[in-house]
Amino acid sequence: MKRNRRISAVAVLTLAALVTGTGAGFAATTTPSATPVATHAFDTAPATATAPTRSFQGTLPAPTGPYAAGEDIIHLTDASRPDPWVPSSGPRQLTVTMVYPAVPGTGTPAPYMTLAEAAGAIRFRGMPASSGVTPQNLSGVTTHAFDGARPQRGKYPLVVLSPGFEDQRMTLTSLATDLASHGYVVALVGHTYEDSGETLANGETPTCAICHNPALDFDSVAASRALDMSFVIDRLTHGNTAWPLARLIDKHEIGTAGHSIGGAAAATTMTADPRVRAGVNMDGSFHPAPMPGRINRPFLMLGAADNHPVGGHDTTWGQAWAALGGYKKWLTVAGADHTSFTDLDLLLEEAGFPTPGPLSPERGVAITREYVTAFFDRTLKGIHSPLLDGPSPNNPEVLFQYQ
């Protein structure tokens, strides 16, 4: 079994446990895994676990930078190619959340997702009414992003984010809002038909077309996502027809980052698109690992210590490390699980359920924000951060695999 199939199942179980109290109910509807995931709490969750009776109220951590985070939703259509998963639907359609540096105190609170996206997540994962999670309170998770907020003046690097397989784009909202607060424009890409639903321009929210395909080729998924990401870059850096605030983007300073298969897609995008100057893979296998000489620009590999130590079972990280030719870092986080780098563990905790790893969800989010921001500060802004020089007493969980 491919590692991305195995770890994407963990992400599904995470949200399933968030709303059911146990991963068992949803696991029965997914493709059985030939490789047990024994490092996550949900594998040993008692069958008698019950959902909380209180109503779920989710709140993401506030951004740490000097700016507020403004938010817009844009809809893009790539007329040059049919949808790779459902060709009968016509040209590839994408929904993208734009998060940007904004003036504090302007705009109105942005929802976490649309009601249709929230309903799709609940349906996709078989969430019972007893969970306390409803489309209304899931869509109403506090994001600290603001619709229609007045943008800060100036130009800012663009970072394109890609979520994990089966994960909606908003699972990287904590990272997106923090990057924006530190002076980045962030494009958070929803990859249509690859998760429980992204609301498109026509108001439809199609569910996943490929999620339960045991023969799915993840190299093809990463390649398709790379086309999505380069297309988004095209539209955002040529005029302002795609996004009225495109003037904020410094088109010469572009980075990509992703979680799980999204991290693989970040590397694939860099291989094919020389405009991307820096990339980050958060706990994802490479599909495929880059060949020597193909990525000679900065790259950060940030993963869970159990998943990605040097010499570990995921050999693609060692292959990628040897092939990367530019400034590079291989960092692992002790106690982290696969979803520590997203919003999922935090929402799980807020719903009253155990989280899958010993690292607290708050620490997972904080570490992800700090190191990804420090990496892009160095590579896209030329700002040196001692955080990347070696182990830090303030972050003892972060292990430098190479110095």
Side-chain angles (χ1 to χ4, degrees):
M1 172 185 280
K2 288 181 177 291
R3 174 156 182 79
N4 274 98
R5 168 64 70 186
R6 186 166 70 85
I7 58 184
S8 68
V10 174
V12 173
L13 286 173
T14 299
L15 266 185
L18 185 156
V19 296
T20 64
T22 172
F26 180 73
T29 69
T30 61
T31 303
S33 170
T35 307
V37 186
T39 57
H40 296 274
F42 301 124
D43 299 315
T44 56
T48 57
T50 57
T53 56
R54 64 181 177 84
S55 176
F56 167 67
Q57 292 182 322
T59 301
L60 303 182
T64 62
Y67 305 131
E71 180 178 303
D72 286 330
I73 306 296
I74 62 174
H75 301 280
L76 305 176
T77 300
D78 185 353
S80 70
R81 62 183 177 122
D83 188 275
W85 314 124
V86 184
S88 61
S89 67
R92 181 67 163 163
Q93 297 182 69
L94 299 172
T95 300
V96 182
T97 301
M98 301 301 304
V99 192
Y100 57 91
V103 176
T106 64
T108 57
Y112 191 53
M113 56 177 69
T114 67
L115 283 171
E117 288 163 343
I122 291 171
R123 225 172 15 248
F124 183 73
R125 294 173 171 89
M127 303 174 179
S130 60
S131 68
V133 179
T134 67
Q136 288 74 22
N137 58 34
L138 184 56
S139 67
V141 166
T142 300
T143 65
H144 302 284
F146 295 89
D147 283 333
R150 190 165 76 249
Q152 295 281 350
R153 294 181 178 179
K155 288 188 175 293
Y156 305 94
L158 171 66
V159 175
V160 184
L161 294 183
S162 179
F165 186 63
E166 300 182 351
D167 294 342
Q168 294 160 300
R169 70 188 190 281
M170 59 286 300
T171 58
L172 295 179
T173 297
S174 291
L175 176 59
T177 55
D178 202 58
L179 282 169
S181 77
H182 286 276
Y184 292 88
V185 171
V186 181
L188 187 49
V189 182
H191 301 281
T192 311
Y193 296 114
E194 297 180 30
D195 59 49
S196 58
E198 308 283 343
T199 300
L200 303 176
N202 62 5
E204 295 180 357
T205 307
T207 192
C208 192
I210 60 174
C211 287
H212 305 316
N213 178 3
L216 185 64
D217 176 10
F218 277 93
D219 287 7
S220 297
V221 176
S224 175
R225 287 192 174 204
L227 293 175
D228 287 348
M229 295 163 82
S230 285
F231 170 68
V232 170
I233 293 170
D234 288 342
R235 293 298 311 276
L236 292 175
T237 57
H238 290 83
N240 63 353
T241 56
W243 183 46
L245 298 180
R247 66 182 184 278
L248 298 176
I249 295 172
D250 181 348
K251 64 181 67 177
H252 302 294
E253 303 292 347
I254 299 173
T256 58
H259 171 246
S260 195
I261 191 65
T268 303
T269 304
M270 286 192 73
T271 297
D273 194 333
R275 295 173 298 181
V276 180
R277 298 191 55 184
V280 179
N281 180 351
M282 297 180 289
D283 209 55
S285 298
F286 290 87
H287 288 284
M291 298 297 292
R294 298 303 302 275
I295 300 179
N296 293 321
R297 286 152 283 157
F299 203 90
L300 168 64
M301 296 154 54
L302 176 67
D306 286 346
N307 295 340
H308 296 294
V310 172
H313 57 267
D314 185 355
T315 59
T316 67
W317 275 45
Q319 295 166 9
W321 180 261
L324 294 170
Y327 173 80
K328 57 185 179 179
K329 292 290 178 181
W330 180 339
L331 309 181
T332 58
V333 184
D337 63 87
H338 183 55
T339 49
S340 292
F341 308 92
T342 74
D343 299 343
L344 291 172
D345 282 2
L346 187 63
L347 296 178
L348 180 68
E349 179 183 69
E350 290 176 340
F353 297 107
T355 52
L359 184 73
S360 77
E362 294 82 2
R363 285 296 295 151
V365 169
I367 288 169
T368 302
R369 287 170 151 193
E370 287 183 42
Y371 282 86
V372 172
T373 300
F375 175 77
F376 283 130
D377 278 352
R378 174 169 182 146
T379 57
L380 298 182
K381 293 183 177 181
I383 300 172
H384 173 261
S385 171
L387 201 62
L388 297 172
D389 292 342
S392 164
N394 293 329
N395 296 295
E397 309 94 335
V398 180
L399 312 174
F400 281 66
Q401 297 297 322
Y402 290 99
Q403 287 290 87

